[in-house]
């Protein structure tokens, strides 16, 4: 009797990681992952094109069991691989990223895009097709509203989307940092009707309240929502692999809480994680933050009604 009980326990003593949830492209699943290793066109040159592969490897160290909810994450993720955009510019990579994301959105309930730099956000949003009915939430220290007249970069995807016809009222920008943006960007974001939450406002109100508010407001006016998680919104000391991060950013616990809320909302059809440069990381700190972010999205997703 004792030996049998011991045997029963041993069958439950396996380590399962989020990486184990990845499955081949031909499999059927409600969530998909696409690597978009775009790095040309970065305002600050780096190696963020390496991020998708590094994040996948980090998923081996992220378990499926959430001790706080006492539940295992079980959602399978179709891994659609990496797009061949590493040597492309934001302009020349646009169609490939948009088309791959659009195909995934049509087949899955949630598409996760691993950048690459923040220029992947514009084609990701475009994949949802009708900009008038699309909402965008950015968790970002920056407005990403540099002038587009000199070309597309990772510093102007929001401006490019406004130029494309995305209504400013459909844009919530959360975590904008002081001393990291130009006045003209702030003025133009306000003139466009963007809803802006500075880092101080996020700390005062709370990231959960701000995230819920953004999701609620956008779901009332939009058919689908895209969320950009620029990892430089996190406190620089907690994300050394984020070249644009600043002191005074989000705590990682807040970043994870926002991801879980986003994953839980049924109108969120696609998300991205951008601006992680593995060449700058220390002790895999930022890689593990990115891996945990995937787990939090999935945990939220499993609570969708």
């Amino acid at each position: 009797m004792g030996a049998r009980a011991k045997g029963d326990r041993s069958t439950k003593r396996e380590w399962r990681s989020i990486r184990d949830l990845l499955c081949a492209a031909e499999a059927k699943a409600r969530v998909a992952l696409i690597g978009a290793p775009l790095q040309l066109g970065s305002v600050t040159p780096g190696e963020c094109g390496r991020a998708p592969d590094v994040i996948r490897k980090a998923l081996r160290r992220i378990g499926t069991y959430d001790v706080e909810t006492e539940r295992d994450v079980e959602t399978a993720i179709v891994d659609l691989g990496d797009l061949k955009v590493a040597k492309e510019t934001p302009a020349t990579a646009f169609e490939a990223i948009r088309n791959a994301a659009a195909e995934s959105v049509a087949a899955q309930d949630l598409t996760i895009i691993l950048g690459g730099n923040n220029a992947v956000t514009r084609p990701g949003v475009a994949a949802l097709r009708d900009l008038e009915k699309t909402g965008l939430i950015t968790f970002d220290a920056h407005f990403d509203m540099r002038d587009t007249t000199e070309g597309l970069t990772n510093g102007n995807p929001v401006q490019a989307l406004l130029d494309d016809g995305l209504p400013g009222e459909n844009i919530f920008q959360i975590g904008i940092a002081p001393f990291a943006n130009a006045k003209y960007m702030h003025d133009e974001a306000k003139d466009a009707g963007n809803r802006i939450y500075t880092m101080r406002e996020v700390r005062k109100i709370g990231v959960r309240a701000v995230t819920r508010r953004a999701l609620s407001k956008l779901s009332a006016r939009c058919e689908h929502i895209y969320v950009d998680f620029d990892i430089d919104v996190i406190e620089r000391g907690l994300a050394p692999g984020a070249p644009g991060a600043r002191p005074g950013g989000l705590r990682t616990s807040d970043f994870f809480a926002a991801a879980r809320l986003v994953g839980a909302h049924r109108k969120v059809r696609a998300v991205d994680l951008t601006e992680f440069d593995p060449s700058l990381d220390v002790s895999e700190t930022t890689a593990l933050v990115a891996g945990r972010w995937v787990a939090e999205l999935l945990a939220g997703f499993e609570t969708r009604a």
Side-chain angles (χ1 to χ4, degrees):
M1 190 72 177
R4 185 163 61 251
K6 183 177 180 181
D8 290 342
R9 286 196 303 273
S10 67
T11 62
K12 300 176 182 178
R13 291 178 177 175
E14 59 178 338
W15 166 262
R16 295 192 70 229
S17 72
I18 298 296
R19 179 63 184 256
D20 294 327
L21 301 177
L22 299 186
C23 52
E26 61 271 15
K28 291 184 178 181
R30 295 177 62 197
V31 177
L33 184 149
I34 300 172
L38 183 65
Q39 65 183 36
L40 294 183
S42 293
V43 175
T44 303
E47 299 181 25
C48 57
R50 292 174 47 202
D53 183 56
V54 170
I55 295 170
R56 286 188 183 90
K57 290 177 181 176
L59 293 178
R60 295 193 183 102
R61 297 180 61 186
I62 309 297
T64 59
Y65 181 66
D66 180 4
V67 68
E68 294 177 345
T69 62
E70 300 186 20
R71 292 184 59 180
D72 262 304
V73 172
E74 298 177 342
T75 298
I77 310 169
V78 176
D79 188 351
L80 300 175
D82 287 354
L83 302 175
K84 296 180 179 180
V85 296
K87 298 181 179 180
E88 302 290 336
T89 67
T92 60
F94 177 84
E95 187 173 347
I97 298 172
R98 180 199 61 195
N99 291 349
E103 185 175 344
S104 176
V105 167
Q108 276 83 36
D109 295 329
L110 178 64
T111 296
I112 301 170
I113 301 173
L114 300 180
N117 67 34
N118 218 155
V120 307
T121 298
R122 179 180 175 236
V125 172
L128 300 183
R129 301 299 184 186
D130 189 345
L131 292 180
E132 289 285 340
K133 298 178 181 179
T134 297
L136 169 64
I137 300 173
T138 70
F139 290 91
D140 197 333
H142 307 96
F143 285 109
D144 286 346
M145 291 184 62
R146 291 173 181 258
D147 196 340
T148 59
T149 56
E150 296 184 3
L152 298 173
T153 70
N154 67 334
N156 58 25
V158 174
Q159 183 59 58
L161 284 164
L162 287 167
D163 294 345
D164 292 339
L166 181 67
E169 294 85 357
N170 290 12
I171 301 173
F172 275 73
Q173 297 189 272
I174 300 172
I176 302 297
F179 309 111
N181 295 276
K183 183 180 186 300
Y184 83 85
M185 299 177 192
H186 194 187
D187 291 341
E188 292 181 3
K190 289 187 290 186
D191 289 344
N194 299 14
R195 322 289 181 87
I196 301 161
Y197 289 89
T198 65
M199 192 64 72
R200 181 173 65 178
E201 290 171 311
V202 173
R203 284 195 296 268
K204 180 179 178 180
I205 301 169
V207 73
R208 290 175 177 82
V210 171
T211 303
R212 289 190 183 101
R213 185 179 301 177
L215 290 168
S216 176
K217 294 286 187 183
L218 288 177
S219 64
R221 61 180 287 124
C222 300
E223 290 185 359
H224 30 243
I225 299 170
Y226 186 101
V227 185
D228 162 40
F229 287 85
D230 182 333
I231 206 163
D232 72 22
V233 77
I234 297 174
E235 161 70 40
R236 187 173 182 88
L238 302 176
R246 297 289 192 271
L250 281 186
R251 297 173 300 179
T252 51
S253 57
D254 288 335
F255 193 70
F256 300 147
R260 190 173 293 223
L261 288 169
V262 164
H265 201 283
R266 62 184 179 82
K267 282 197 173 183
V268 174
R269 300 301 314 282
V271 301
D272 66 39
L273 184 83
T274 62
E275 299 298 329
F276 166 36
D277 183 347
S279 71
L280 301 176
D281 208 6
V282 178
S283 299
E284 299 179 277
T285 302
T286 318
L288 291 172
V289 169
R292 168 76 178 270
W293 171 83
V294 175
E296 295 288 347
L297 281 173
L298 295 177
F301 181 82
E302 291 187 352
T303 68
R304 288 193 181 190

